[in-house]
Amino acid sequence: MALIPALQFLKLNEIPEAWVEAMWDVEFTESKPLDDSIKEELTATGDKAFRNLYQCLLAHADDQQQSPGRDQASQSIWALLVENGVSVKSLVATLSFFVLVGKAKVANVQQRVDGLHAASLYLLLLGIPGSIANKVLHEVLLDTCLDMTSHCWPQDSGKKRKKDNLKSSQAEGKRSRPHRKDNPEMEVDEEEEEEEELHFSGQDLMKIRDAVVLLVQSILRLLQTFPLKKTPQIASNCNQIFSKLLYFEPAIGELTFAAGQDLNTLRSVPEMAFYGLQLLYSPKHGDQRESLPRVFHQLLYVILMMNKGKRGKPTLFVPNQAILTTRNQAIQFVCHIVDELKELALPFLQILLQHICFQMVEKSEFRTHGAQAVGMLTCQMASTDYACFVKWLFNFSRHSKMVCRLFSVDVVMVLLEQPERRMEDCEDPELACFLPHKFLIQSLLFARRMDHSPTVQGHAFSCLAQCLELSSFNATQAVHNLFSTTGTVTMLGGETTEESSQQTQKTYRTLPFRTVEISSTDSSGCDAKENLALLLRRVQDSKTNVRKASLQALKGLLKHDVIPISWENLAVLSERCRDPAVSVKKKALQCVGELLAAKPECSVIQKAWLQGVVPAVVDSENSVQEKALEALDQILLSQVKLYSASRHLDASQRLTWDLLGLLCNECQSLSRYFSRAFTIWSKQNKFTQAFITNLISHTDADHAAGAWLLLSKVVASSPRLPYSKILDAWDNMVSSKDVNVLTCCHILCVMGDIAAHLNEDTKNRIVNDLTSWLKTFTLSLEVISAAVQTLYQLGSSEDIKETQAFLNQHCGELVSVCEAYLASIMLSENGAQNLNEELMVKHLHTLGVASLHCPARVGKRTVLLVESVLTTHSDKLTDCQQELPASLPLSQFKANSLPTRVRAHGVITLGKLCLQHQELVQKYLPVFARELEVGTEVTVRNNVVVIMCDLCVRYTSTVDHYIPNISACLSDTEGTIREQTLIMLTNLLQEEFVKWKGSLFFRFMLALVDPVPAIASLCEYCLLHLLLKKNPEMLYQHFIECIFHFNSYSKHKSYNKFPQSEREKVLFSLKGAQHREKRFRIYRFLLEHFTDAQRFNITIKINQTVLACFADEDLPLDADGAEILSETFNILSLKEMKLQAISAPAGGTSSEEPEEENMARAVLQAAQKKVVSQVQKKAFIENTVPLIISLKSLLEQKHSPVLRDLMAYLQVTMEDYRNEVKEFFSGDEQLAAELEFALKTAEKDRDLEEQMDNFSLAGDAKTPTAQGSVLGSPVRSRPLVPFSFATPQPLRPTPLSARLAHTEKRVHVRSTQEKHIKSKSIALERTVMPKGAVKDRAISTPKGVTVNLTFDEGVSAIFSDQGTSLGRETSVLHVKSPEQQQQATGLRQWNVQSPLRQKKKSTKV
């Protein structure tokens, strides 16, 4: 036969028998030295000889399978080898030689190919019946041959393995570092060798690939004929090998998983690997309840896109297209298994889903793909099994790990995209309530709104907004129910039982607006108002991602009309466009843009869009500016098309002109920001001739106001304009009697901008029109200002003298007209009685704006006429030599009968006259200051503040003496004046026209506690965002003086010594117990915005300037001194005084596992905390302790009540050093003893409070159901309802009876828990595995038993990460079902059990 000649190339007769025995003795773990000549002959063998031998053996194997006499056929092949003197033992040893050489890292291409061929021959030989009897089977060699693909394929054995080794060396820590340092040359050499291994040509790779295909086909043939029932370890290894081969190369075409496929039809390695996995879970290789978990376990990491080695944590793949394709194929394969095996596979599908959820990582891309996988796999479930999974997911969503709760939200979103299942399809009525989409939204998704983690909170809100985009009506309706205004309680699964209502009475605190969850801690229904209130609070959350997600949710609710489109709701979106965080600003801009696109006809949304986008043009962040400019360009500029009366405007154009109409009316205050946008666009040459032509075509339309608004902004930067069209509009406006004020202003602005391009005749005509128009005094105040400005632009020229002559002529003429009118009113006896208030205001306003351009035409008579508007000293007008007494306020002159509005405008006009004449400033400043003190008219005083601040810009040194008078208005009785003063002073401080001198800082501090919250908030903004940036030490420098100033204490030699009037002292004093809260609000604000260095230094400074003064008796310890000292101790006790480096927690929150990148930060924080703590401790011992001891002695002598505050301060301070009290106060043993006693007493009080809390909350926590939630779930409680005991308590129980009651309660709980554990727990056994035991764990479930899952340990048991090596003992988890669980229903768990366990038990028997 051809078999024997085909074996000749192996030189079996020349192989020494001693070498063969040596190879068997070492169990093929290493290659023994072979004679050089024989070795050369063997290595010279080519591929052809191996393939020839393989074909011969394959022919014999096929003949044997087709032969009816199986025993006879088997004897023939083995007998043939014996007859020809071929030793099977030598044949196996020789094949192992090729295998061991080929698997080496330094093997070349030919050695790898020969090794793969030899492994294929061994597996083929092993598959022939009789192989075990002829001692062909050797487990170690079989494992080696099966795993040859990972050793011989260069990608795995080279580059990737090198990276894996680097990772493992990093994980080992410091031990590996010395080795690298000691042998640098050796390591370089190894790296060079490994780099050489990686260089394979395409032809070489094709050779190895063909050999790998042959080996995989041999493995499949072995599995078709060789049962693995008694060798579960081999089956486990095969699972791992096939799972790795899934990534070997891209699959060709669409994969089909039909049973009984022909090996020759399988075209790619992944296709063969899937077929191998099919064979492994077939009944031929053992109980499918044991083989299926092994297959699912390997596919778990394929679906998770993780690389799971034999030991250690799995590593993540880069999710490229190849990895994603393999993952999708694995999911399809799992679906095929479930379709094929039906009920047999469903319990393991549940477990697979659980582990996908539990082993998910935090990275967004992996979570997205993982949730999609869960969704695809749940489609294979019947409604009952699906409900079981949702119930498990409900528990999973309350896990302590943040990533688990985060992923549960992703899974919910995928499940919501599936068609809703009918409750009637569920066989178990108790599980039917888990099927509706309503349960997923209200009990799983919306419940995460109160999560501890901001990441989970934000993700939940984002997904809530996405729910409204789903096609499912019930899903969107569930969201509507959460925010509907009906206020009805919505519950799933029936009414509240009596038991649950009794449990509610034990509630210690309640969480509002629960919709579906009804448990022992909460039974409140769906309160739409509170839900919306919560969402609006989350929009202002301290965490950036929560604010962004809340904005998205709010946008969704508004977009889909879930909540009313009111200005209150929309204003929240607009305000967030000015958020401190750049990403939130961009998100808010996006949200208002999407709302406008969805509802372009809604005027309220249009207004909100303008209020949000237009101010963002001046944002400090360039990217936000660009986003706002892009939105304005897209919606406003790009939609300006050529107008035709015969053609209707489309929706986009109507929106553009609606927005421009709002800018002309309701949103005029945005004009300054809007102008800034055009300044930027003009530099970009955005305004083409076509745009101007299109824009001017709209000036005759119904929306002409908007067109003139745009034209007034772009005309200054436009190259050419159709002046005739603009002049026609001017003529029409002048001749028209009914012109819109704002449109008129815009036309005047356009006329002023084009003045330089007009000829002299046209200019003169327009000047005459303007002056005659102004002299009619029928224009509004805004038009008068615009007209005078246009008049100035028409007269402007390069010659300054010529320009001034023009202004003196025309503006002076206006001044003369106004002066004559004022004289006719003020000098006539009955002028004031027949006064036209509106006409008087217009003359005063015209006089003011015109006088600014022609100061030379303003005479003393004009000034006195304006002054007479405020007084009735008309006799002074006839004798101008006599001046009015400057010391008298306006209100103390002889009262006149002019209205307040006229007097207010008179103040403004007088201020404009002062701007041009310094002697008037010196004369009227005392009058203005006095008016601020005793004036009664709000508008007059408000205008006086504006005038004095404007004068401060031009005459800084003169007005500087009156800054205390201005700042006194921060405590005015009128909120309008306080706000105006705050804004004006902030502007002056920003531009450094005013310095922080005297009492100015402390008056700003008083605005922090203003009774009007808006003013207090404005003051905080001004201090933190405008003023503190210019002077970072501002708050620190004034802190100690705040203590003395607000307590009106002036006995210190350095502090609170600036001059103040008695009136000002009373106005700005916060002395007394009634103002204590205000004082400490100020102290806390200051301390919160200190740096740690400033906190440390202020403590030392307080010791030196306050405590030391009292200790040395420089300051008397009288009633006022006692108050100061008491307040100082209270300030030192504030938590804001503690250094953040010490008090801030290191790392993440308790509910979140710190990521690797956060670990370094946590270590750094811990080291920093230790160093800072030591420095603080040293400073406290050296500086504070001696003062404290001295003060305590002094206070005891004086019998002062401040002693109580001193001890309270020490108690707070020594909490961090409770074990070092004696060391700190070694100089005063009595103080140390008293302090130790106080600390122990405080600790006992805290323990008692905790015990009482536990006592009120004690109770059996039920397993969460559709109507229940976990008591200890990571849900953040809201401080909306004050904490109170709901359970009636005895009046004052004795300590003994209270302890007994608590003990009885604890015993009751423990006994209940023991019963619960007996019925639902999982027993764990320890199994010792001898040599040859399993390396990795199989997954199985107790036969015939379903385990009701609890979530104490996360999920069902899978197997340990620690692998086992041969000859080493290890412990294996084994899930054993108690007898009490025989009737239990629920999900099954992974059973981790040694595959050799049964064999071990049988040997013991």
Side-chain angles (χ1 to χ4, degrees), residues 1247-1294:
D1247 292 342
L1248 182 60
E1249 288 179 5
E1250 291 177 3
Q1251 290 177 5
M1252 296 301 293
D1253 291 348
N1254 295 334
F1255 179 76
S1256 64
L1257 285 170
D1260 299 334
K1262 293 190 173 184
T1263 303
T1265 62
Q1267 297 86 12
S1269 63
V1270 183
L1271 179 63
S1273 63
V1275 178
R1276 186 165 60 194
S1277 61
R1278 304 184 323 180
L1280 296 180
V1281 181
F1283 283 45
S1284 60
F1285 287 98
T1287 305
Q1289 300 292 332
L1291 294 177
R1292 298 292 291 177
T1294 60

Side-chain angles (χ1 to χ4, degrees), residues 1140-1403:
Q1140 288 185 348
I1142 298 176
S1143 59
T1149 59
S1150 58
S1151 62
E1152 301 183 28
E1153 293 185 346
E1155 300 177 0
E1156 292 181 2
E1157 56 266 24
N1158 292 336
M1159 290 300 294
R1161 188 184 302 113
V1163 172
L1164 182 62
Q1165 287 178 354
Q1168 182 184 12
K1169 180 177 180 179
K1170 184 176 180 180
V1171 173
V1172 173
S1173 178
Q1174 290 175 348
V1175 173
Q1176 188 184 37
K1177 174 182 173 182
K1178 181 180 179 182
F1180 182 76
I1181 293 175
E1182 294 178 355
N1183 301 324
T1184 308
V1185 170
L1187 289 173
I1188 293 297
I1189 294 175
S1190 176
L1191 278 173
K1192 180 176 179 291
S1193 175
L1194 178 63
L1195 293 172
E1196 286 176 343
Q1197 292 175 11
K1198 302 278 187 179
H1199 301 287
S1200 174
V1202 183
L1203 185 62
R1204 181 175 61 254
D1205 299 306
L1206 182 147
M1207 293 303 296
Y1209 158 65
L1210 286 179
Q1211 185 176 331
V1212 171
T1213 306
M1214 297 305 296
E1215 281 289 341
D1216 299 329
Y1217 310 103
R1218 61 172 58 241
N1219 297 325
E1220 304 172 71
V1221 174
K1222 291 183 179 179
E1223 176 187 348
F1224 276 45
F1225 298 95
S1226 57
D1228 192 335
E1229 296 181 358
Q1230 180 182 353
L1231 176 59
E1234 291 176 3
L1235 192 55
E1236 284 185 336
F1237 177 78
L1239 289 171
K1240 290 178 182 178
T1241 304
E1243 186 176 3
K1244 289 180 180 178
D1245 291 341
R1246 283 196 300 271
D1247 292 342
L1248 182 60
E1249 288 179 5
E1250 291 177 3
Q1251 290 177 5
M1252 296 301 293
D1253 291 348
N1254 295 334
F1255 179 76
S1256 64
L1257 285 170
D1260 299 334
K1262 293 190 173 184
T1263 303
T1265 62
Q1267 297 86 12
S1269 63
V1270 183
L1271 179 63
S1273 63
V1275 178
R1276 186 165 60 194
S1277 61
R1278 304 184 323 180
L1280 296 180
V1281 181
F1283 283 45
S1284 60
F1285 287 98
T1287 305
Q1289 300 292 332
L1291 294 177
R1292 298 292 291 177
T1294 60
L1296 178 60
S1297 62
R1299 285 198 299 271
L1300 289 176
H1302 182 62
T1303 304
E1304 291 173 359
K1305 187 73 176 177
R1306 192 165 58 242
V1307 171
H1308 172 69
V1309 172
R1310 188 187 301 121
S1311 62
T1312 308
Q1313 290 175 348
E1314 289 174 355
K1315 293 178 182 178
H1316 180 72
I1317 291 172
K1318 287 182 179 180
S1319 61
K1320 295 188 178 181
S1321 63
I1322 301 173
L1324 304 178
E1325 288 189 356
R1326 182 177 179 88
T1327 304
V1328 178
M1329 299 174 58
K1331 178 179 177 181
V1334 202
K1335 288 184 180 179
D1336 285 323
R1337 312 296 191 267
I1339 311 168
S1340 61
T1341 304
K1343 300 178 181 179
V1345 177
T1346 54
V1347 182
N1348 186 16
L1349 291 181
T1350 60
F1351 213 75
D1352 295 336
E1353 298 297 332
V1355 287
S1356 314
I1358 199 160
F1359 39 92
S1360 170
D1361 284 333
Q1362 297 179 351
T1364 55
S1365 58
L1366 296 173
R1368 188 179 70 178
E1369 293 185 357
T1370 184
S1371 59
V1372 184
L1373 293 175
H1374 171 221
V1375 178
K1376 188 177 82 171
S1377 164
E1379 295 179 359
Q1380 292 88 342
Q1381 286 187 321
Q1382 295 297 330
Q1383 304 298 327
T1385 59
L1387 305 182
R1388 299 187 177 186
Q1389 294 189 342
W1390 302 112
N1391 178 16
V1392 184
Q1393 178 179 346
S1394 166
L1396 301 180
R1397 183 174 176 78
Q1398 296 179 355
K1399 182 177 179 181
K1400 177 183 174 183
K1401 288 183 178 180
S1402 62
T1403 55

Side-chain angles (χ1 to χ4, degrees), residues 709-939:
L709 169 64
L710 282 184
L711 195 58
S712 67
K713 305 294 183 184
V714 304
V715 65
S717 56
S718 300
R720 293 178 57 191
L721 289 169
Y723 302 117
S724 60
K725 183 80 173 176
I726 297 174
L727 291 173
D728 291 341
W730 164 255
D731 294 334
N732 293 334
M733 183 187 73
V734 172
S735 60
S736 175
K737 294 182 179 180
D738 185 18
V739 182
N740 180 272
V741 172
L742 202 60
T743 303
C744 186
C745 291
H746 293 150
I747 294 176
L748 286 168
C749 180
V750 172
M751 293 301 297
D753 288 332
I754 67 172
H757 304 284
L758 301 177
N759 56 43
E760 291 300 323
D761 293 338
T762 306
K763 281 185 180 180
N764 292 333
R765 180 172 63 86
I766 296 173
V767 168
N768 292 332
D769 291 340
L770 269 177
T771 53
S772 61
W773 205 22
L774 285 167
K775 288 176 184 178
T776 62
F777 294 97
T778 57
L779 307 178
S780 66
L781 302 184
E782 296 84 358
V783 176
I784 292 174
S785 299
V788 173
Q789 178 63 26
T790 303
L791 190 63
Y792 165 76
Q793 289 176 300
L794 287 166
S796 297
S797 64
E798 295 180 359
D799 189 352
I800 298 177
K801 292 183 179 180
E802 184 179 339
T803 302
Q804 190 60 55
F806 173 88
L807 293 173
N808 287 339
Q809 177 188 348
H810 295 92
C811 292
E813 188 177 349
L814 291 173
V815 170
S816 300
V817 172
C818 294
E819 182 181 329
Y821 176 80
L822 290 177
S824 67
I825 297 296
M826 305 307 297
L827 296 179
S828 63
E829 294 182 2
N830 299 324
Q833 297 176 1
N834 302 322
L835 175 70
N836 184 334
E837 179 180 333
E838 190 65 30
L839 192 58
M840 184 70 170
V841 167
K842 289 179 180 180
H843 277 83
L844 283 170
H845 184 75
T846 304
L847 174 60
V849 294
S851 65
L852 292 173
H853 296 290
C854 57
R857 295 294 301 270
V858 178
K860 186 173 291 187
R861 186 171 185 268
T862 306
V863 176
L864 291 175
L865 279 169
V866 175
E867 181 185 295
S868 68
V869 174
L870 309 175
T871 68
T872 56
H873 286 264
S874 57
D875 55 327
K876 303 298 180 185
L877 298 175
T878 58
D879 185 10
C880 295
Q881 282 88 15
Q882 186 177 356
E883 299 290 338
L884 287 172
S887 60
L888 292 178
L890 304 179
S891 56
Q892 286 190 1
F893 292 139
K894 184 178 177 181
N896 57 31
S897 57
L898 293 178
T900 300
R901 181 163 176 255
V902 173
R903 289 166 54 77
H905 279 277
V907 171
I908 293 292
T909 303
L910 187 59
K912 290 177 180 177
L913 296 176
C914 290
L915 281 172
Q916 299 292 343
H917 303 278
Q918 187 171 5
E919 64 276 8
L920 296 180
V921 175
Q922 295 174 346
K923 174 183 177 180
Y924 288 108
L925 268 180
V927 179
F928 290 149
R930 185 63 176 165
E931 181 67 20
L932 291 179
E933 291 184 17
V934 299
T936 57
E937 296 167 310
V938 176
T939 52

Side-chain angles (χ1 to χ4, degrees), residues 976-1143:
T976 304
I977 295 178
R978 296 200 302 273
E979 183 178 5
Q980 184 74 270
T981 306
L982 181 62
I983 295 172
M984 300 298 291
L985 284 175
T986 300
N987 290 333
L988 293 175
L989 286 164
Q990 273 189 290
E991 301 298 330
E992 296 187 355
F993 292 110
V994 172
K995 304 292 184 181
W996 289 112
K997 294 190 303 183
S999 60
L1000 182 58
F1001 178 84
F1002 310 103
R1003 298 182 180 184
F1004 258 80
M1005 290 297 102
L1006 198 68
L1008 278 175
V1009 292
D1010 194 278
V1012 179
I1015 298 177
S1017 177
L1018 176 63
C1019 180
E1020 183 176 338
Y1021 171 80
C1022 293
L1023 285 169
L1024 297 181
H1025 300 282
L1026 300 179
L1027 301 175
L1028 187 61
K1029 293 179 180 179
K1030 295 183 71 69
N1031 187 3
E1033 298 292 320
M1034 174 181 70
L1035 305 181
Y1036 168 75
Q1037 291 169 348
H1038 294 87
F1039 183 82
I1040 293 181
E1041 195 155 12
C1042 282
I1043 303 175
F1044 294 102
H1045 178 73
F1046 291 128
N1047 285 280
S1048 301
Y1049 188 85
S1050 56
K1051 297 178 183 179
H1052 197 284
K1053 62 182 180 180
S1054 303
Y1055 295 115
N1056 202 24
K1057 293 298 182 181
F1058 42 81
Q1060 288 187 96
S1061 66
E1062 291 301 321
R1063 173 180 172 271
E1064 290 173 340
K1065 288 181 179 179
V1066 173
L1067 273 177
F1068 293 96
S1069 174
L1070 293 178
K1071 184 178 181 181
Q1074 69 274 20
H1075 297 301
R1076 185 181 188 278
E1077 183 184 353
K1078 289 184 178 181
R1079 294 198 303 272
F1080 275 83
R1081 278 166 58 189
I1082 294 173
Y1083 301 147
R1084 287 191 177 92
F1085 171 83
L1086 295 173
L1087 291 171
E1088 283 172 358
H1089 299 95
F1090 276 13
T1091 62
D1092 267 355
Q1094 290 174 339
R1095 290 189 183 91
F1096 182 80
N1097 291 332
I1098 204 65
T1099 305
I1100 298 176
K1101 200 171 180 182
I1102 288 174
N1103 290 336
Q1104 296 171 348
T1105 58
V1106 182
L1107 300 185
C1109 290
F1110 283 104
D1112 297 339
E1113 298 189 32
D1114 293 339
L1115 293 177
L1117 200 58
D1118 52 11
D1120 292 339
E1123 289 182 7
I1124 290 291
L1125 188 57
S1126 173
E1127 187 139 317
T1128 304
F1129 284 129
N1130 289 330
I1131 291 171
L1132 291 171
S1133 303
L1134 292 175
K1135 65 177 182 179
E1136 289 81 7
M1137 184 65 85
K1138 290 189 175 182
L1139 304 186
Q1140 288 185 348
I1142 298 176
S1143 59

Side-chain angles (χ1 to χ4, degrees), residues 124-294:
L124 189 61
L125 194 66
L126 187 62
I128 300 175
S131 59
I132 297 179
N134 286 275
K135 299 183 179 179
V136 175
L137 175 64
H138 191 284
E139 290 189 7
V140 176
L141 181 58
L142 177 58
D143 284 343
T144 305
C145 292
L146 291 173
D147 202 26
M148 280 295 287
T149 54
S150 61
H151 292 297
C152 295
W153 186 248
Q155 246 182 354
D156 290 341
S157 62
K159 198 169 186 178
K160 285 188 178 178
R161 283 187 169 274
K162 181 179 175 183
K163 289 182 179 179
D164 291 342
N165 290 338
L166 287 176
K167 288 181 180 178
S168 63
S169 66
Q170 292 172 1
E172 289 174 2
K174 297 181 180 179
R175 296 182 180 178
S176 58
R177 291 177 186 171
H179 176 74
R180 289 199 296 268
K181 291 179 181 178
D182 294 341
N183 303 293
E185 296 180 359
M186 183 183 300
E187 182 175 331
V188 170
D189 294 339
E190 290 177 359
E191 288 183 358
E192 290 177 355
E193 289 178 4
E194 289 184 2
E195 289 295 331
E196 290 176 1
E197 293 172 20
L198 299 178
H199 298 293
F200 292 96
S201 65
Q203 187 177 2
D204 294 340
L205 291 175
M206 285 303 299
K207 280 185 178 180
I208 300 175
R209 189 262 177 193
D210 293 340
V212 168
V213 170
L214 187 65
L215 176 61
V216 176
Q217 289 176 343
S218 302
I219 297 175
L220 296 179
R221 287 191 174 94
L222 177 66
L223 294 178
Q224 287 177 338
T225 58
F226 190 83
L228 302 180
K229 291 181 179 180
K230 298 182 180 180
T231 54
Q233 175 60 34
I234 296 176
S236 177
N237 290 347
C238 288
N239 275 304
Q240 294 182 22
I241 292 164
F242 285 136
S243 65
K244 292 180 183 178
L245 290 174
L246 296 177
Y247 303 104
F248 186 82
E249 64 184 6
I252 302 173
E254 190 71 23
L255 296 184
T256 58
F257 306 111
Q261 300 182 68
D262 185 2
L263 294 180
N264 297 322
T265 61
L266 303 178
R267 295 173 291 175
S268 63
V269 174
E271 198 171 359
M272 297 178 190
F274 278 119
Y275 181 58
L277 292 173
Q278 277 185 282
L279 294 174
L280 285 172
Y281 70 76
S282 62
K284 182 173 186 177
H285 297 290
D287 189 354
Q288 289 181 301
R289 290 183 177 84
E290 297 177 0
S291 57
L292 260 182
R294 286 196 294 262

